[in-house]
Amino acid sequence: MTRSEAPGVPRIHALPERLANQIAAGEVVERPASVLKELLENSLDAGAERVHVDIEHGGARLIRVRDDGVGIHRQDLALALGRHATSKIASLEDLENVASLGFRGEALPSIASVSRLELCSCPAGEEGGWRLAAEGCTDTLSPQPAAHPRGTTVSVRDLFYNTPARRKFLRTEKTEYRHLEDVLKRAALSRFDCAFTLRHNARETYALAAAANEAERGRRVARLCGNAFMEQSLALSFEASDLGLNGWVGAPGYSRGVADLQYFFVNGRMVRDQLLRHAVRQAHHGLIESGRHPAYVLFLDIGPAQVDVNVHPSKHEVRFRDARSVHDFIVRGVRQTLAGDANGVSGAAPVLAPAPAFGHAAVNHAVVREHASAYAGLRAVARDPGRAGNDLFGEALQQIDRRYVVARNAEGLVVVDARRAFRLVARAALDKALAVGAIAARPLLVPAAVAVEEGQADVLERRLPFLESVGFDLRRVAPASISCRGIPAPLAAASPADLVLAIASHVAANPIEGEHSAGEAAALFDAVLAQCDLTAVWPWDHDAMNDLLRQLGRLREASPTGDGDGVWHQLDADDIAALLRSGR
Ligand code: ADP
Ligand code: MG
């Protein structure tokens, strides 16, 4: 803008190409691992059968990927580094049916704009190769002859050397290497027919031969995900009209403290998609303790036109044309596999290890088989997903910290403390059931064996008839071990192990002999409600949250006098204004 022009009106100019690439790089190139992801995708798209990866200093100094794919024509080398240049799609129609991993044509130019990139390639059917070093400016480049076997090598040196702000965000060598390793794992899981090696600082860390049969694929999964996972997982293969789901899922009882073993592939593309993650999580409902995570390697096959991969610059997310049915298909497939294990009839030869740890409870597989019919019960109580929330508390927007539900209603926002709300709702349901003298026990799909003190087990054993009358199906299976096979329905989202521990300490502290009274039941539930987090195995999905809001709404209707009482808080526009003002 110059002084002579109208003041305050900015002039428009095209961004220099390099700056445009650097801006695009902001989206595509977050860290060394994102570079590796793009380079590996290009190699796999080029039909590589062997891929060698060399990393130096966590990728900050060097990321080099060598493949034996189709290669790039000498005349196209410079083009490959240009923006929006791709060999993979030519029309919008192609985009709708895209089968390659890449298609945007922005990875190489983006990477080249924030590193020292060198491209070296020998296309199929030619003798020697050609090298092109991109030092930023792509239009002055000309390829030089270079010895190279068929295929392509891309070397990325000194990542972010010219963008110090980005370089500052690089973590330690070890952390960056872990991310790189994860990218390699994902690639290796997505293409069993391709061989991979990985070297870090000249040391070979992975050497994976191409896997051609079930046994070899199993071996690769064991190498990438660990023997424990492979031994304690169920193979799954599931088909519906136009959908297929294959892979491995941890058997009931195998869970992890962090969500680090969750690999999902859609048509061979590695994705981290909320919908898919959620579906698998929901399939595990009631089988995994709160704070624990399922483990899986799953491959979804779906018609390319049924899925849009062009949602996210790094293509981590996908959008399904019919998200609901994909979600349900996955829930069904994974559930049936887990329940099939309970039946002992899983067709896909499950590999079961003896009693893996399940929180502090252990799974007893003999009992699991006996109780397979419980699965039917579990399904019967599935929520009605069609209905949203209610007038009073509106509709759930999201959860915060697995503790609060934020909902939207006519007045504004409502924040609900789900743990406390659960207590209110459960208390009301239990009171009602006690009043009519019948509390239904909900059978557990996977009975939990819980270790308690022997003295507690003694008392507990004497109180079994009482506990059964209030909905707990417990059995003493060892001097200091109680098997929990069913719990009162209103407590279904609590962890069975937590419940047993609470009951054990309560009955041990209140040893009442002889006849039991309604007062006793109330006291027991008081103790349980006070001690247990009733949302422990709650799925925290929208259906579940809306369900809770509806129940809370019904309670509120029944006794309209109660205010929020630490359970919920209504925020209308005035409240929000006040909140913001007070923040000054
Ligand atoms: P995209 O993968 O979206 O097409 P890229 O910028 O990643 O865009 O790559 C640009 C083009 O360079 C590709 O379309 C492809 O033709 C070519 N290319 C890149 N890497 C390789 C490789 N390893 N082997 C063969 N061709 C490659
Ligand atoms: Mg690409």
Side-chain angles (χ1 to χ4, degrees), residues 42-43 46 67 71-72 80 85-88 102-109 152:
N42 282 346
S43 293
D67 67 51
I72 307 173
T86 179
S87 56
K88 298 171 193 174
F103 53 79
R104 287 170 172 256
E106 44 184 33
L108 290 185
T152 304

Side-chain angles (χ1 to χ4, degrees), residues 95 112 276:
L95 182 59
L276 302 174

Side-chain angles (χ1 to χ4, degrees), residues 38 41-42 45 88 102-103 107 315:
E38 295 294 341
E41 287 188 353
N42 282 346
D45 279 345
K88 298 171 193 174
F103 53 79
K315 304 177 236 86

Side-chain angles (χ1 to χ4, degrees), residues 125-149:
E126 273 177 43
E127 285 292 289
W130 295 86
R131 174 202 317 270
L132 189 65
E135 274 281 354
C137 226
T138 44
D139 38 80
T140 60
L141 304 164
S142 74
Q144 304 297 320
H148 196 285

Side-chain angles (χ1 to χ4, degrees), residues 69-74 121-130 150-151:
V70 288
I72 307 173
H73 280 290
R74 178 193 160 199
S121 191
C122 171
E126 273 177 43
E127 285 292 289
W130 295 86
R150 188 196 126 152

